[in-house]
Amino acid sequence: MAKLSLDDRLNQIEDKISEKSFRENKGLGNEVGYYIFDYDPGEELYVRNHIAYLKDRINNGNKDFRIVEFDLFHLMVEILQEEGYLEAFFDLEKENGFFEMADSLVETLGLDETNELNLIISRILQEDLTDSVVFLTGVGKCHPIIASHNILNNLHQMLDSVPVVLFYPGEYSGQDLKLFGTMDSHNYYRAFRLV
């Protein structure tokens, strides 16, 4: 079977998420639908533009659902600004380097937590997601602070009412995630390939 081009795959997203069975998670043993759309990291801006196009088309069209996008990087910055920590983390990075700042940031945001103490998960769950498909984006921008497999695993335990699609700048084999096509990640076994 010939490998589909990125354009072909992107053009299949709307039809796929518009299927009622997709949004009701049928055909998956009634397990909530968690999906990954992987792509070449060099195509990041192209994929972002297509996501913006899809959101506009679906959210302003006559569909019976909407797309709710969470850019993980923007979410992280927004939370830090609201909590008054953003400047402190800039200072911490200048004084102690990126990795010490990143470790502190993981702790502050509760990213290792599997419950509402994880501020990223908590913020996603605050949104009204009725009749929605959730798009998670910004994975590459927040690496290595936010690990996408952690977000998926933690979110999976708390959100099972709507399908979630992670846009992943790397490779997904159906079992393994490789960020940017080179960095091995932990297995994420509950996600399906979107297209």
Side-chain angles (χ1 to χ4, degrees):
M1 185 170 137
K3 188 174 179 182
L4 294 174
S5 71
L6 179 60
D7 275 331
D8 289 338
R9 293 178 63 227
L10 287 169
N11 289 332
Q12 288 182 25
I13 293 174
E14 182 175 357
D15 287 343
K16 178 84 173 177
I17 67 175
S18 294
E19 295 170 5
K20 195 168 181 68
S21 61
F22 175 85
R23 294 190 320 280
E24 292 174 352
N25 300 313
K26 291 192 176 157
L28 302 175
N30 288 328
E31 182 179 357
V32 67
Y34 275 68
Y35 299 87
I36 293 176
F37 185 92
D38 60 346
Y39 56 92
D40 182 325
E43 300 289 351
E44 176 70 29
L45 296 179
Y46 192 72
V47 172
R48 279 188 211 170
N49 287 336
H50 191 80
I51 291 169
Y53 160 78
L54 267 180
K55 277 178 51 183
D56 182 60
R57 180 172 163 80
I58 289 173
N59 294 353
N60 296 315
N62 60 358
K63 301 279 188 184
D64 61 347
F65 71 98
R66 66 192 174 109
I67 294 172
V68 177
E69 179 185 5
F70 295 100
D71 180 308
L72 298 175
F73 178 78
H74 291 154
L75 208 52
M76 175 180 65
V77 171
E78 193 177 286
I79 291 167
L80 292 173
Q81 284 176 324
E82 288 171 9
E83 299 293 327
Y85 294 144
L86 190 60
E87 291 302 320
F89 277 101
F90 288 143
D91 293 342
L92 182 61
E93 181 179 14
K94 284 179 196 165
E95 293 169 20
N96 299 345
F98 174 81
F99 290 105
E100 188 167 320
M101 179 276 301
D103 288 344
S104 182
L105 194 50
V106 166
E107 187 176 326
T108 299
L109 294 174
L111 296 176
D112 290 334
E113 302 294 332
T114 58
N115 54 32
E116 64 278 346
L117 296 176
N118 182 319
L119 298 181
I120 298 289
I121 301 296
S122 178
R123 183 60 59 90
I124 291 170
L125 296 175
Q126 287 173 13
E127 184 79 25
D128 178 9
L129 299 175
T130 307
D131 298 322
S132 296
V133 173
V134 170
F135 280 9
L136 298 177
T137 61
V139 169
K141 294 186 285 185
C142 58
H143 174 77
I145 298 166
I146 299 177
S148 54
H149 68 275
N150 280 349
I151 294 296
L152 288 177
N153 281 321
N154 294 337
L155 196 57
H156 192 274
Q157 296 174 37
M158 303 187 75
L159 177 64
D160 62 3
S161 57
V162 297
V164 175
V165 180
L166 175 75
F167 287 85
Y168 191 77
E171 298 169 11
Y172 181 55
S173 69
Q175 292 182 331
D176 298 313
L177 294 166
K178 275 189 154 181
L179 189 62
F180 308 130
T182 59
M183 299 175 177
D184 284 328
S185 183
H186 298 286
N187 285 351
Y188 183 74
Y189 59 92
R190 290 184 176 150
F192 302 91
R193 290 182 67 90
L194 183 65
V195 289

